[in-house]
Amino acid sequence: KFSFLYNVYLSYLIIYDIKSSLVRILHRRVVQANKGALREYLEPCQVALMPGGAAVLTHTVRMMLEQNPDFICVSLDVQNAHNSIARAAVIKRLEAVPDLRHLAQHAATCLAAHHTVESGGDKITLCGQGMCQGDSEASGCFCVGWHPEVLELNNALQPSGGLAIFGNDDGYAIGPADVVFPAVVQFREAIKVTCGLSLRLSKCLVYTRTGELPPE
């Protein structure tokens, strides 16, 4: 029965936008079956799949800045993140994780065709990169796709007492200014090369406890 449904699902991928009800149901089942492995790989730097992840993200940032008043926090904005991430990066990263490797072929099949980018029900364009709007798998695949770069950012900040934490494409880099800014520059370059993502500096924000921005 499941094999029959899966074959129907593959046909839908070719003919219809991925948001069709059947595909969404099947993808939801895939996420439910693999959420534990995804969370084990992504946390604590990425909390998008964690129950109450938004609260964890908020309170982590707040408490870090309360305990370290001399730290800065950079809020990172990635341009059209879910619609732009390189699909090859997602599949490559899934293959590299033993507990997620079994999802690589599934993801490759799902991402082989272009999907529709829409707004308010109106078609904008067809997209050959990124995740599909409304797809249950989009969040997990996106997070896995750039997780090595997220870890590198976090590892660069931790020796000075800082950290990096993300909820999907909303990220925060916290630590001393002279450590955070070079780490963010390196992160920006890395995600561009490996994931095809662009850090939009015009929408990134810098917070300091005193309200005075550092020279950088």
Side-chain angles (χ1 to χ4, degrees):
K1 184 178 180 180
F2 181 79
S3 177
F4 167 75
L5 288 175
Y6 193 75
N7 288 331
V8 175
Y9 142 80
L10 294 180
S11 300
Y12 266 69
L13 281 179
I14 304 301
I15 302 172
Y16 298 108
D17 185 13
I18 203 168
K19 291 184 298 301
S20 64
S21 298
L22 174 60
V23 175
R24 290 170 63 184
I25 291 171
L26 291 172
H27 282 197
R28 194 176 301 120
R29 293 291 299 273
V30 172
V31 173
Q32 290 170 349
N34 292 279
K35 183 171 286 188
L38 286 165
R39 288 186 57 192
E40 184 175 353
Y41 176 59
L42 297 172
E43 295 173 10
C45 289
Q46 299 202 73
V47 297
L49 301 182
M50 179 189 295
V56 171
L57 181 68
T58 301
H59 292 303
T60 298
V61 173
R62 177 182 61 80
M63 294 175 70
M64 280 291 294
L65 295 173
E66 286 180 353
Q67 294 178 12
N68 303 277
D70 57 330
F71 280 7
I72 69 164
C73 176
V74 177
S75 172
L76 304 172
D77 182 87
V78 181
Q79 185 172 1
N80 295 327
H82 280 76
N83 290 328
S84 302
I85 190 168
R87 296 177 176 181
V90 173
I91 298 168
K92 179 180 179 180
R93 268 62 194 273
L94 285 170
E95 288 179 333
V97 183
D99 290 341
L100 299 176
R101 190 170 294 152
H102 61 285
L103 292 174
Q105 185 175 0
H106 168 76
T109 301
C110 297
L111 298 175
H114 285 52
H115 66 252
T116 302
V117 179
E118 64 175 56
S119 177
D122 297 326
K123 174 182 173 182
I124 298 177
T125 185
L126 290 175
C127 186
Q129 296 292 350
M131 305 292 105
C132 183
Q133 299 168 351
D135 186 3
S136 302
E137 296 181 349
S139 180
C141 286
F142 174 83
C143 291
V144 170
W146 74 340
H147 193 59
E149 287 71 35
V150 169
L151 289 179
E152 287 181 12
L153 176 60
N154 183 65
N155 292 339
L157 301 177
Q158 279 198 330
S160 59
L163 58 78
I165 186 167
F166 286 77
N168 279 307
D169 57 326
D170 295 319
Y172 301 87
I174 305 171
D178 60 345
V179 176
V180 171
F181 287 124
V184 168
V185 170
Q186 186 176 1
F187 177 72
R188 179 193 185 194
E189 294 171 352
I191 63 173
K192 182 65 175 179
V193 172
T194 59
C195 306
L197 296 172
S198 298
L199 194 63
R200 185 159 43 184
L201 295 182
S202 62
K203 289 196 173 182
C204 292
L205 304 175
V206 179
Y207 171 84
T208 65
R209 188 78 174 269
T210 62
E212 297 179 7
L213 294 179
E216 297 91 340

